[in-house]
Amino acid sequence: MKKFYYLLPAIALVLAACSDDDDKNDGREGFKLTLSASEIANAPSAGEIDAVKLVTEKNAVLQTATWNDGFTIEFNEAVGTSHLMKVTDVFYLDYFEEDEREKIKVSDESANVCPAYIFGYEGNTEKGEFYYTKELGGVQYYVQYIFADRAVNITGTASDRDDWTCEYTVRLEYGWNRVMYYADNAAEKEVYTSTIATGFHWVYEYNP
C-alpha cells in the first residue's frame, strides 16, 4: 500500500477519554479553530509547549498562536501560491494505471490545494501534533484541513498500483475545507470524502 502522507499521520494514535459528542470546533465557522486543553486528549501540560502553529506541507507557518491551556488558530481566507500543490499530487491521482485513473473524475485538474497541520512548539522546536481523529472497528479515521484555490470535485472508485481500492467523494470549495480519510488494511481500501462522520476527538501526539 502506498503511504498517503499528505493526509495520513505517520504514527498510530491512542485515544484518551475526550468528548466526542460533536465537531463544533472544526475550523469552518469564521475560519477559526478554538480548543481548550479539556477538549484535547493527551493535551500538553503546563510548560511542555508555548505555541501552536498552523504549518503547510511545505513547512511554511501560516498562523502562530500562544498555548495557554488551549489555543485559537485563525485560518487565512487566502493562501499564497507558493504554498499550493497540484490537487492530483496531494490526492495521489497519478498512482493509478491509465485505465484505472480514467475511473477517477476530477472537475478541474488545474486546481491547487494546500494541506495544513497543527503542531505544538516549545521555542523553535516542534514537540508534537494535534489530530482530529477517531477509531472504529480497528480502523483509524482522520480529518484534514485543506485550502483550495478554486472549487473542484474528485469522484470515483479505482484500484491503485498496489491493488488497493481507492474511493473518492471529495468536493472542495474555494477556501478552507475538511476531508475525512481512512485506510482499512484488512479490506485493502482507502476512502477520501468530504462527508465527515460523527464521533471525532482532538488528540495531541508527542513526537517520539
Side-chain angles (χ1 to χ4, degrees):
M1 186 193 94
K2 68 182 182 296
K3 181 181 178 186
F4 195 74
Y5 60 89
Y6 297 117
L7 299 185
L8 176 63
I11 51 181
L13 301 176
V14 178
L15 294 179
C18 185
S19 174
D20 64 355
D21 56 349
D22 58 43
D23 59 357
K24 61 184 182 300
N25 289 313
D26 63 11
R28 295 283 290 179
E29 293 186 10
F31 303 103
K32 287 186 178 181
L33 173 64
T34 298
L35 291 172
S36 65
S38 64
E39 295 176 285
I40 304 167
N42 202 34
S45 300
E48 290 185 320
I49 65 172
D50 54 32
V52 177
K53 298 182 181 183
L54 183 66
V55 181
T56 72
E57 182 67 33
K58 296 182 178 182
N59 294 318
V61 176
L62 297 178
Q63 289 284 328
T64 300
T66 300
W67 171 261
N68 184 18
D69 287 329
F71 65 90
T72 295
I73 284 285
E74 296 188 10
F75 287 74
N76 294 321
E77 289 193 42
V79 171
T81 57
S82 63
H83 305 311
L84 299 177
M85 306 169 67
K86 292 174 58 179
V87 69
T88 52
D89 290 341
V90 170
F91 286 92
Y92 272 103
L93 298 181
D94 294 327
Y95 203 78
F96 298 91
E97 299 296 345
E98 184 176 354
D99 58 336
E100 289 294 315
R101 173 63 177 83
E102 291 176 352
K103 299 177 182 178
I104 307 298
K105 306 302 180 185
V106 182
S107 62
D108 187 343
E109 295 205 12
S110 64
N112 297 291
V113 298
C114 175
Y117 309 87
I118 303 173
F119 294 108
Y121 276 77
E122 181 184 24
N124 293 321
T125 303
E126 180 193 312
K127 305 298 286 187
E129 185 170 356
F130 296 89
Y131 298 111
Y132 198 39
T133 183
K134 75 171 185 176
E135 186 273 335
L136 180 64
V139 177
Q140 201 74 40
Y141 292 69
Y142 300 94
V143 170
Q144 175 70 53
Y145 290 98
I146 298 182
F147 177 87
D149 70 351
R150 70 199 69 184
V152 58
N153 297 334
I154 308 167
T155 56
T157 301
S159 296
D160 68 13
R161 293 174 184 171
D162 295 325
D163 292 325
W164 275 57
T165 298
C166 299
E167 179 181 308
Y168 296 88
T169 53
V170 176
R171 293 172 175 83
L172 305 179
E173 301 294 336
Y174 170 77
W176 286 100
N177 301 264
R178 297 184 306 157
V179 173
M180 186 179 77
Y181 164 78
Y182 68 86
D184 186 334
N185 290 316
E188 297 189 343
K189 180 179 182 179
E190 293 178 335
V191 173
Y192 315 94
T193 179
S194 296
T195 301
I196 309 300
T198 60
F200 278 80
H201 310 256
W202 278 101
V203 179
Y204 182 71
E205 180 72 15
Y206 293 86
N207 289 342

